Amino acid sequence: RPIRCLHHLREAKICNVTANKPNEAYVKAVADKFGTQISVVDLKKVLDAYEAVDPAAAEAETARWIAGAEKVMEPPRDEIFRSCRLALAFEKLLEAEGGTVLTADCYGSMYRKLPAFPCVGFVRLNDMGLGGCCESDLSCCLSHVLIQGLTGKPGFISDPTMDESNDAIILAHCLGSRKMDGPAGEMAPYRLRTIMERQEGCVPQVFMRVGQRVTQLITVGTDTIRYFTGTVIEAPDVERGCRTKITVRVDGHAGKLWLNWTAGLHRQTVYGDIRKELETLCRMKGGIALIDEAA
């Protein structure tokens, strides 16, 4: 698995839909360390790909998402349709760019410039074994590639809320991956919702598996991986925080985890305890510190 991961990193290309200039030092460091390429994709390419999608294909994709959902709550059908058409455009865009992971500056330079919010498109890429990540978070994109290489599964990008009374952390985001067991795995139950803090757009609220062992990690620069492991004890369904949520009982101490938390809010969570794989990867690659934040 670590050998496959190193190859996966070397072959990966992250496409960032943004009007901002890239951090050239970070782009170069990632390419030098792992071989992973990071490129900027302009808005026109996205819009052209969107217009090129056959409306009939987008309608069929819309019907699949609606039929697969437990229920459709807030989003109107037109919102779902535009989200699904953009999702199909993302697949074609990645193919044209030779990319494996797509991210977008959805709350920044691309806000209200895309035909729809990118959430459904990102989830669909994750379901397919590619990658979609929120908010032009390049560290999470790199972490996603690393996780896929080690496990063949996608990550769940999230923000944290601590519950020290239960030695737990609540991981929440409106972008919930439906196939956390990988493309060939079973699809988790989901509902179609709006983005919680915006009350617009379309996102799948995914109900992940309670009792599942998980690992959360983030690559910090190119020389550190911060992580912790735990067990999912609840998939909360409450109207607070982002739509998709899991409560994870932390191996170690949740209080230490929170005191050690650094390098932004976002992290990637994957099904399974992959500590041994991470240890081997860091040893093989060299020059990567592996830090258990909850120890």
Side-chain angles (χ1 to χ4, degrees):
R1 289 182 178 185
I3 292 172
R4 181 179 64 189
C5 179
L6 291 173
H7 175 76
H8 196 58
L9 284 161
R10 189 167 60 248
E11 296 296 315
K13 182 180 180 182
I14 298 166
C15 297
N16 184 13
V17 180
T18 181
N20 296 326
K21 292 182 178 180
N23 181 334
E24 296 291 353
Y26 180 74
V27 170
K28 183 178 185 305
V30 169
D32 290 347
K33 182 79 172 187
F34 300 110
T36 307
Q37 301 299 308
I38 300 173
S39 68
V40 170
V41 176
D42 63 33
L43 178 62
K44 184 178 185 304
K45 286 185 177 180
V46 181
L47 297 180
D48 288 347
Y50 180 85
E51 291 299 325
V53 172
D54 184 348
E59 182 59 41
E61 186 70 15
T62 301
R64 280 191 290 271
W65 276 81
I66 291 174
E70 287 186 341
K71 62 175 73 173
V72 177
M73 299 184 73
E74 302 87 359
R77 188 180 179 91
D78 177 65
E79 186 76 50
I80 303 170
F81 173 82
R82 287 184 287 107
S83 296
C84 288
R85 190 173 183 181
L86 185 60
L88 296 178
F90 281 171
E91 180 185 355
K92 295 299 183 183
L93 184 66
L94 273 188
E95 183 180 1
E97 295 291 317
T100 48
V101 177
L102 186 70
T103 187
D105 190 19
C106 42
Y107 281 173
S109 62
M110 292 295 113
Y111 184 55
R112 296 196 181 282
K113 294 181 181 178
L114 297 170
F117 283 93
C119 314
V120 168
F122 289 161
V123 172
R124 185 173 179 272
L125 291 175
N126 290 341
D127 290 350
M128 295 170 64
L130 294 166
C133 293
C134 309
E135 301 172 49
S136 286
D137 191 329
L138 298 179
S139 292
C140 269
C141 288
L142 184 63
S143 302
H144 187 97
V145 175
L146 186 150
I147 283 169
Q148 279 186 323
L150 280 178
T151 70
K153 303 171 187 176
F156 165 51
I157 189 171
S158 68
D159 296 318
T161 300
M162 300 306 300
D163 178 7
E164 292 186 41
S165 66
N166 288 309
D167 251 341
I169 183 171
I170 302 168
L171 306 174
H173 222 259
C174 281
L175 181 74
S177 293
R178 300 181 302 173
K179 288 202 167 187
M180 291 293 289
D181 289 305
E186 186 176 346
M187 185 178 292
Y190 69 95
R191 300 170 187 166
L192 293 179
R193 306 293 307 270
T194 54
I195 298 170
M196 185 67 169
E197 69 270 24
R198 304 283 174 177
Q199 295 295 306
E200 58 184 337
C202 178
V203 299
Q205 178 187 9
V206 176
F207 296 93
M208 297 187 198
R209 186 184 304 129
V210 174
Q212 175 67 51
R213 294 283 294 159
V214 294
T215 303
Q216 183 172 95
L217 65 86
I218 188 68
T219 55
V220 183
T222 59
D223 60 2
T224 304
I225 296 174
R226 305 182 72 89
Y227 82 100
F228 69 89
T229 57
T231 302
V232 178
I233 59 173
E234 187 184 10
D237 182 19
V238 294
E239 294 297 300
R240 289 176 294 162
C242 295
R243 296 298 189 191
T244 298
K245 292 178 276 287
I246 51 175
T247 303
V248 177
R249 179 161 290 138
V250 176
D251 296 337
H253 303 281
K256 287 186 178 180
L257 171 62
W258 192 234
L259 288 172
N260 289 331
W261 199 280
T262 187
L265 289 176
H266 283 168
R267 299 284 193 275
Q268 290 276 14
T269 301
V270 63
Y271 276 7
D273 184 334
I274 61 169
R275 284 175 294 182
K276 295 299 182 185
E277 289 89 342
L278 288 172
E279 289 168 0
T280 304
L281 173 69
C282 292
R283 188 167 62 249
M284 289 178 63
K285 184 61 181 173
I288 303 176
L290 183 63
I291 300 173
D292 185 345
E293 294 181 303

